[in-house]
Amino acid sequence: MLASSYKDEDGHISVSGSGAAAAAGGGSLRNKKPENTAFKQQRLPAWQPILTAGTVLPAFFIIGLIFIPIGIGLYVTSNNIKEIEIDYTGVDMSSPCFNCSQNFSWNSTKSCTCSIPFQLDQPYESNVFMYYGLSNFYQNHRRYVKSRDDSQLNGNEESLRSPSKECEPYARHDNKPIAPCGAIANSMFNGTTKPVNWRRPVYELDSDPNNNGFINEDFIVWMRTAALPTFRKLYRIIQRRNNLLPTLPRGNYTLEVVYNYPVRSFEGRKRMILSTISWMGGKNPFLGIAYITVGSICFLLGIVLLIIHHKYGNRNNGADVSH
Amino acid sequence: DDCLTQRMMSHPQLYIPGQLNLYFSKKAFFKCAIHSCYSSLVLFFIPYAALHDTLREDGKDAADYQSFALLTQTCLLFAVSIQLGLEMSYWTAVNTFFVLGSLAMYFVVTFTMYSNGMFLILPAAFPFIGTARNSLNQPNVWLTIILTSILCVLPVVTYRFLLIQLCPTINDKVRQARATPPPPPRRTRIRRTSSRRSGYAFSHTQGYGDLVTSGRFLRRPAVVSWSPGFPPVGRATSGFSPMGRSAGYSPTGRPQSSKVPDVEATSLQMYRAIKDPPL
């Protein structure tokens, strides 16, 4: 047996060869080495994925073939959803709400009304949902989002007496705590009450006792801040009355607006939306189009890669490793 | 499975990428930066467009700030996990457990943090109450997650596949070789071929007369009877046969190193001989 020298893990160079010396030294050395198990010697059975043509190309084709039908399904579903948007900001001179938008301001006492006629071309079946939409209203501004007191909204007595600091400057008024405090509550979108220093206190938001106070639906919907500057929030649901008649038949309708929420000062827009709902939600063709696009790209890429693989790939695959 | 050390010894070119600093250079960093830019744009704008003016299937609004945040971070998690799976080229049980476990842990922590219990303990610190259970039951949301993750990973897979097909590195060739017939029979084939070649080559030069007469070859462990010009038959591993151009012996008679390489190092010599001039 040839003598060999090696370094063990501690960095000590030791020589072991035949003979008694090896046995004595080898005993202590063997303790410092990790055991010769698969786990400690990193010999665990492993799967090594390699990007071969046999795995990548079928994967591309399968993804393409799955995404395209999903995209088509989503797009068709989205197209079948009926939706109508009516902007009642009153920007144009021809709009019925133009006078209201010009004259109404934050400290007007008299409310302004206007009515906008609109037409439904198709009957709206099943439940119809009515939303109010705002544009250019940044509910996702960080200071705005933080300006609330969830303990207070949860009914915590101590928070009702002393709102959190986050609500400043809408936490106290005349040395009295404001409930609900914060900028979010203060700017609540309303159909009937003034936003700044609400005319009606929170416990008179609705005559229905189940919808009053902090659990008022409109209040809850408003307090959940929207992510984007253009958003819509649920206002009311028009329930289907009976199965035979559509909920909103075809015809002419009128929207009566009590113009209470001035948005012209920040170039915002207000609108009312009527929409039906499907399993994928409201009308949004983006997801359908995106799936079709990505599916087609995948499929095309699969074909292109297949061509490349046939022309160039085989040339390199059989190459001699030694060269 | 083959022991990794033996494989590395048989393909010493695998050390070249490290020596040439191929994988940690400005070019590699630039590629990484481009990929991150692309991923960031995809991870924001796809959820943005998917949630823009969208509603839940029960009519309530879906585009609130908490749902948007949850959707984006879940897309990110999935994209990162798939990318990690691609980078990890050695899936042992331990690796698989930790990758899948971290994904599971994400969901556990998310559902815990967004639960009613945590909100009641500390309302100000957990404003995302109810988001997880209300958002993740929408098919819309899951379709967006799948789309975003696949879109993030698609360019990486395409780019790597193209690289492997058009300009494979030594790593790729070795891995492909693993997928095809195992190397040891190839090695024997190579030896025989090159020794045959060297047999021809050396027949035109001075030859190995001095080798035979010096008796140096007798120091080798097991030697098959051999003479210059005749390729050794049978398994070459049992004996010594000249590989490459010089195989440590110069036909011109110049002194060689007296180190006696064993069988393993001979294959090393085979590679070195092609690149280095004879000693």
Side-chain angles (χ1 to χ4, degrees), chain A residues 89 109 134 239 312:
Chain A
T89 320
T109 46
L134 284 171
Q239 302 272 3
Y312 302 106

Side-chain angles (χ1 to χ4, degrees), chain A residues 46-48 60 129 131 154 224-225 227-228 232 234 277 279-281 284 287 291 305 308-309 313 316 321-322, chain B residues 11 48-50 54-55 57-59 61 63-66 89-91 120 129 140 143 158 162 165-166 168 271:
Chain A
W47 172 59
Q48 295 196 324
F60 272 54
F129 295 79
Y131 302 89
N154 202 25
R224 214 167 244 267
T225 48
L228 306 166
R232 54 175 71 170
L234 185 60
I277 290 293
W279 62 269
M280 58 162 273
N284 190 3
L287 215 52
Y291 262 86
L305 290 177
I308 292 182
H309 170 68
N316 283 324
V321 185
S322 64
Chain B
H11 302 292
Y48 167 82
T54 311
L55 308 155
E57 50 177 2
D58 55 7
D61 24 293
D64 56 293
Y65 143 73
Q66 284 96 336
S89 53
Y90 204 70
W91 283 74
L120 289 172
I129 173 175
N140 225 358
L143 286 173
T158 312
L162 275 176
Q165 294 296 311
L166 296 176
Y271 293 102

Side-chain angles (χ1 to χ4, degrees), chain A residues 20-38:
Chain A
S28 60
L29 285 169
R30 216 170 291 125
N31 290 340
K32 289 180 194 152
K33 280 170 84 169
E35 306 152 16
N36 195 16
T37 61

